[in-house]
Amino acid sequence: MEIHPPEKPIHTVKDFLLQLLTITVGILIALSLEGAIEWSHHRSLVSEAKENLRQEILDNKREIGKFLAGAPDLRKNEEGAIQFIEDLRAHRAKGHHKLDFSCYFALLSGTSWGTAQAAGAVAYMPYRDVQSYAGIYDKQRKFDALQDRLGETIVAAVPSEDPDNSSPRALGEWKQHVQTSLTYLHNVEGLARSLRDEYDGALR
């Protein structure tokens, strides 16, 4: 914004006040236009960020849905493994027993939230929206950490030797690993349902 000196010399108080008024009005108009442009930019930034967040949350919700759809099979297979261990320890196991601990792990993204923060869009969002998004992505990080731990317990639950030739002590340790995995599975499922509900709230 540039301010130019008056073109004609000022001879009277009236001329001075007129020039002052002209300059003041010009400054106010310039500032208003500048503010309007900046407001429009901020509004566009927030709108784009919210649309990206909506799509990311929708994708994450689908991932959570896939995990929850596959979790019952893992729970059933691990419970079956515990029963198999009990049968081995009681010498009741007969025939071949298939051990399947496969599970779908949700791949959740937080890129749009990180981008919204880095671009400064979060600073222009309503506080309630920021609080909601922050809560969702914080819970999402906790889910990722707990899901990773579940994966570790599943790996530990896979027997390292032939179950038919395992000692009672080895069978006991194996059972403990499977039970630990079941506990983590229960916790991850609970967090997944809670996260899904928060996704639904954000999408509404």
Side-chain angles (χ1 to χ4, degrees):
M1 180 172 63
E2 297 181 4
I3 299 176
H4 300 283
E7 297 178 357
K8 297 184 295 181
I10 298 173
H11 299 290
T12 65
V13 173
K14 183 179 178 181
D15 289 341
F16 172 76
L17 292 175
L18 182 61
Q19 290 292 343
L20 181 62
L21 179 63
T22 302
I23 292 171
T24 302
V25 170
I27 291 173
L28 290 175
I29 291 173
L31 289 174
S32 297
L33 288 173
E34 199 173 304
I37 292 171
E38 192 172 340
W39 175 82
S40 177
H41 171 70
H42 293 162
R43 186 178 180 184
S44 176
L45 185 66
V46 169
S47 178
E48 183 179 357
K50 282 192 170 184
E51 177 55 31
N52 290 337
L53 286 166
R54 190 195 70 81
Q55 187 57 56
E56 183 170 76
I57 287 172
L58 191 60
D59 292 340
N60 288 343
K61 182 188 172 185
R62 292 194 189 101
E63 286 293 303
I64 288 291
K66 291 177 183 178
F67 168 79
L68 288 172
D73 286 339
L74 174 60
R75 182 169 57 254
K76 180 181 177 181
N77 290 337
E78 290 192 328
E79 288 172 349
I82 290 176
Q83 184 58 56
F84 175 58
I85 294 169
E86 289 299 319
D87 290 343
L88 284 172
R89 295 172 78 176
H91 306 290
R92 293 193 307 265
K94 295 180 180 179
H96 179 71
H97 185 87
K98 182 181 178 182
L99 295 172
D100 182 6
F101 294 156
S102 60
C103 178
Y104 184 88
F105 282 79
L107 300 174
L108 306 183
S109 174
T111 303
S112 292
W113 178 238
T115 301
Q117 291 176 304
V122 173
Y124 304 107
M125 290 183 185
Y127 177 75
R128 188 172 67 176
D129 290 350
V130 174
Q131 194 174 32
S132 175
Y133 287 129
I136 286 172
Y137 282 94
D138 182 57
K139 183 170 286 189
Q140 192 171 292
R141 283 191 292 272
K142 291 177 182 176
F143 174 86
D144 284 336
L146 198 59
Q147 185 179 234
D148 287 345
R149 185 68 185 107
L150 171 63
E152 293 171 4
T153 64
I154 289 174
V155 171
V158 176
S160 58
E161 57 186 51
D162 183 1
D164 291 329
N165 299 321
S166 296
S167 66
R169 179 179 177 181
L171 290 174
E173 291 176 351
W174 179 23
K175 180 181 178 181
Q176 189 174 16
H177 287 314
V178 178
Q179 288 175 327
T180 299
S181 186
L182 271 170
T183 300
Y184 271 94
L185 176 60
H186 174 76
N187 293 336
V188 176
E189 279 187 284
L191 191 54
R193 293 190 186 95
S194 176
L195 192 53
R196 183 182 58 188
D197 291 342
E198 293 207 26
Y199 286 156
D200 286 337
L203 293 170
R204 284 195 297 268

